[in-house]
Amino acid sequence: MLRHCQYEEKQRAVFEDIAQKRDAAKAEMAARSELLDSYRDVAIAEVQLQADLDLIANDRTVDIQKAEIYAHTEIEVTQMEASEAIFEAQTAGMTEQQKADYIKQLREMKTPYLQGSQTLQGTIDPNDKVTGSEPGAIANSDKYRWINNTIGYPTLIFGGMGAGKSWTTREIIWKKVQAGWNIVALDPHGTQVEWRGVRLITGYKEIADFMQWYMDEMRQRYEDYRKSGLTEEQWTERLRNSGKMLSVICEEFTTWTDNIVEPMPQNCDEDKWKPDPDFIGKWFRCAMTESRKQLMIPLFVAHDRTMEILAKAKGLSKLRDAALLEVELIATIDPITTEAKASGRGRIKLPGHGQWIDIELPKLDHKRIDFRLDESVTSDAQSNTKKVEPKLSSDTETAERIWQLEFNLDKPSSDSSPTQSLTPFAQSLLQFLQRTGRTSAVIQEIQPNFKVKGQRFSSEELKRLFNELVENSLAVWLDASTIEITENWTDGQSGQN
């Protein structure tokens, strides 16, 4: 009986243990079920949240697109208003006839130059427009035929450092000289020794005076043209026959325009005078748009083609594209020295066209510094030798006389005393050289000894005074800092003695 009771107790203990495990399993299953429900709720919440985020993002994208469309519309409206304002500013003060002429000129610049079966590549051969009246001015060369286009069109030459802008520009100038053009170079950093045979203007004030004269002369020519009763072709031929073809070279145009200030008119009170801050921009627009018909062609040399860099003017890119023939020179980097150098390649774009055409640049072995037709320097060594200017032939004298009357108004005529046009400081320098009996002068030697009323002069100021003597045919440049007294002055001095 006792054993039977012990056995039942053991069985009961086993059953209780099983019951406890069953209850524990039920509790675990209930917990897992509750956890799964929580996971499901979290997943549903995540899906709903993602849907809400997608909806918000879609709404924001729609808002951004609406804003972009609105901004683009506002920009177009603003550009139209700005174009109208610029046009009104450009035509301010014009009569109705002058405004009509100006609109006609803009339309002509917008008109494509291609006619009939011509192609853009074919227009690189300039025989139809540029050299029709100047046969044989430039040698026939298929590769360099594009240079002819730069003679009769306002031209912009641009490119990075080392692309060959200076050397190529001087070759173009040489072609212009050969074709009969008078050349004026605006180069504050240039010297006469590198611009022989060319009228060089280096002073900022003198450049500003020339720019003002240029615009006045342009207006005068248009006025004379309207009164002449001639056709456009007859008027152009008259200018050509009169020797009034003028090309203005703006060397490194973007580096010195900030220093140019509008000159004050003679009849203006100095205290009330306020120079026009857009003086350079006005001159640039005049040179771009009005120069071709009056044969006063500019050639700009710059680092870039943007209007902000060229003339501190925005919103004129369309006018630039329509008016300027553009030549881009391409530089290459030497893999060893890592220095930029000319690649011999470039691109050209004709006025009114958007297509750029690859071109090849002339292969040059030296930089041209002499632009005289009668006596050209062929090597750098010759440029440093002592030289007396040759006597001018009768034809050359006639051309020089025309130049004096039409373009070189600041220079005295040949029958005037050469010292009358000198500034007081230049006259003092001339007297100093006379007293000391010098036949040549070096800036570094003259600087510590020459003074006027106790005032001494910097090297740059002395260079300008030297250049005055050269421009008045009293001396010639031997190098960048040395002048030699001409025989004309020494003969005149001996006659006075």
Side-chain angles (χ1 to χ4, degrees), residues 24 114 124 127 139 152 171 182 238 286 295 310 318 399 459:
L114 300 182
I124 294 300
N127 293 329
E171 286 304 302
N182 299 296
R238 172 185 285 189
C286 173
L295 300 184
L310 284 177
K318 293 183 178 179
S459 299

Side-chain angles (χ1 to χ4, degrees), residues 11 27 71 175 178 197 239 248 264 271 284 298 303 307 320 322 346 349 357 377 380-381 386 396 441:
Q11 289 294 327
K175 304 303 182 185
Q178 289 178 308
L239 293 175
V248 182
M264 184 178 66
D271 296 334
F284 185 75
H303 294 291
M307 294 306 302
R320 173 205 60 206
K349 184 179 76 65
I357 296 177
V377 174
D380 293 337
K386 213 160 123 177
T396 310

Side-chain angles (χ1 to χ4, degrees), residues 112-344:
Y113 293 97
L114 300 182
Q115 299 179 358
S117 60
Q118 284 184 321
T119 63
L120 184 57
Q121 181 65 38
T123 58
I124 294 300
D125 182 359
N127 293 329
D128 59 339
K129 286 184 177 292
V130 180
T131 60
S133 59
E134 303 161 3
I138 299 178
N140 292 325
S141 176
D142 293 339
K143 292 189 298 183
Y144 310 135
R145 198 177 284 178
W146 62 270
I147 294 180
N148 293 26
N149 290 72
T150 64
I151 296 178
Y153 284 109
T155 300
L156 167 64
I157 297 179
F158 68 97
M161 181 182 64
K165 298 188 296 296
S166 181
W167 285 34
T168 303
T169 297
R170 289 169 177 267
E171 286 304 302
I172 293 175
I173 296 173
W174 177 238
K175 304 303 182 185
K176 286 177 176 282
V177 172
Q178 289 178 308
W181 289 79
N182 299 296
I183 307 297
V184 175
L186 309 182
D187 184 7
H189 308 117
T191 60
Q192 193 63 51
V193 72
E194 289 200 341
W195 290 97
R196 296 182 179 180
V198 169
R199 183 188 176 192
L200 173 64
I201 303 179
T202 58
Y204 295 134
K205 181 181 182 303
E206 290 75 10
I207 290 177
D209 291 337
F210 174 81
M211 288 180 171
Q212 185 62 60
W213 172 87
Y214 180 95
M215 290 188 288
D216 295 341
E217 175 69 11
M218 187 78 72
R219 286 190 290 267
Q220 185 62 47
R221 289 194 183 189
Y222 270 104
E223 182 178 350
D224 294 341
Y225 166 54
R226 287 190 289 269
K227 295 178 180 178
S228 67
L230 302 176
T231 65
E232 180 181 328
E233 291 75 12
Q234 291 172 337
W235 175 256
T236 301
E237 189 64 23
R238 172 185 285 189
L239 293 175
R240 195 183 304 278
N241 294 336
S242 301
K244 291 186 177 181
M245 297 188 299
L246 174 65
S247 184
V248 182
I249 313 301
C250 300
E251 180 73 21
E252 297 295 346
F253 185 60
T254 54
T255 63
W256 48 264
T257 51
D258 288 338
N259 299 310
I260 304 301
V261 180
E262 181 185 16
M264 184 178 66
Q266 295 181 353
N267 57 353
C268 180
D269 188 353
E270 185 174 358
D271 296 334
K272 299 180 180 180
W273 169 245
K274 292 183 179 180
D276 187 352
D278 191 37
F279 176 70
I280 284 290
K282 286 183 177 179
W283 182 83
F284 185 75
R285 290 189 287 273
C286 173
M288 273 202 307
T289 61
E290 303 178 17
S291 61
R292 186 165 178 260
K293 290 184 179 180
Q294 300 302 329
L295 300 184
M296 300 178 68
I297 305 297
L299 191 155
F300 304 100
V301 184
H303 294 291
D304 200 355
R305 64 188 297 265
T306 61
M307 294 306 302
E308 175 66 18
I309 291 179
L310 284 177
K312 305 299 183 289
K314 296 180 179 179
L316 296 180
S317 58
K318 293 183 178 179
L319 183 60
R320 173 205 60 206
D321 295 340
L324 283 180
L325 185 149
E326 300 182 65
V327 179
E328 179 184 11
L329 306 186
I330 300 173
T332 184
I333 304 299
D334 190 304
I336 299 177
T337 64
T338 67
E339 293 182 353
K341 63 179 182 178
S343 66

Side-chain angles (χ1 to χ4, degrees), residues 4-103:
H4 180 73
C5 289
Q6 291 178 344
Y7 176 76
E8 288 184 350
E9 286 295 329
K10 289 181 180 179
Q11 289 294 327
R12 184 180 298 162
V14 171
F15 290 151
E16 288 179 354
D17 184 56
I18 293 173
Q20 289 178 355
K21 290 181 179 180
R22 181 199 61 196
D23 293 339
K26 287 182 179 180
E28 183 178 357
M29 291 179 63
R32 288 184 178 182
S33 177
E34 185 177 353
L35 183 61
L36 288 173
D37 291 339
S38 299
Y39 283 158
R40 183 173 64 253
D41 293 340
V42 170
I44 293 173
E46 287 180 349
V47 172
Q48 291 176 344
L49 179 60
Q50 186 63 42
D52 292 340
L53 291 175
D54 292 342
L55 181 61
I56 294 173
N58 183 65
D59 293 340
R60 181 167 298 179
T61 301
V62 172
D63 292 338
I64 292 174
Q65 290 177 346
K66 290 180 179 179
E68 289 177 348
I69 294 173
Y70 178 77
H72 182 70
T73 303
E74 288 295 317
I75 290 173
E76 289 184 344
V77 172
T78 303
Q79 288 177 342
M80 293 174 61
E81 294 175 348
S83 298
E84 293 177 357
I86 291 172
F87 179 78
E88 291 298 328
Q90 290 175 339
T91 58
M94 290 186 181
T95 63
E96 291 300 324
Q97 180 61 37
Q98 291 173 334
K99 186 179 292 187
D101 293 340
Y102 181 65
I103 293 174

Side-chain angles (χ1 to χ4, degrees), residues 442-479:
V442 183
I443 291 178
Q444 292 79 2
E445 179 186 351
I446 296 297
Q447 187 175 9
N449 301 315
F450 174 65
K451 60 182 179 180
V452 178
K453 296 182 179 179
Q455 176 184 349
R456 298 189 181 276
F457 299 86
S458 65
S459 299
E460 187 65 27
E461 291 171 337
L462 279 178
K463 182 179 292 187
R464 293 182 183 178
L465 296 180
F466 277 23
N467 198 54
E468 279 196 55
L469 300 182
V470 173
E471 289 183 346
N472 285 273
S473 301
L474 299 175
V476 294
W477 287 103
L478 295 181
D479 54 42

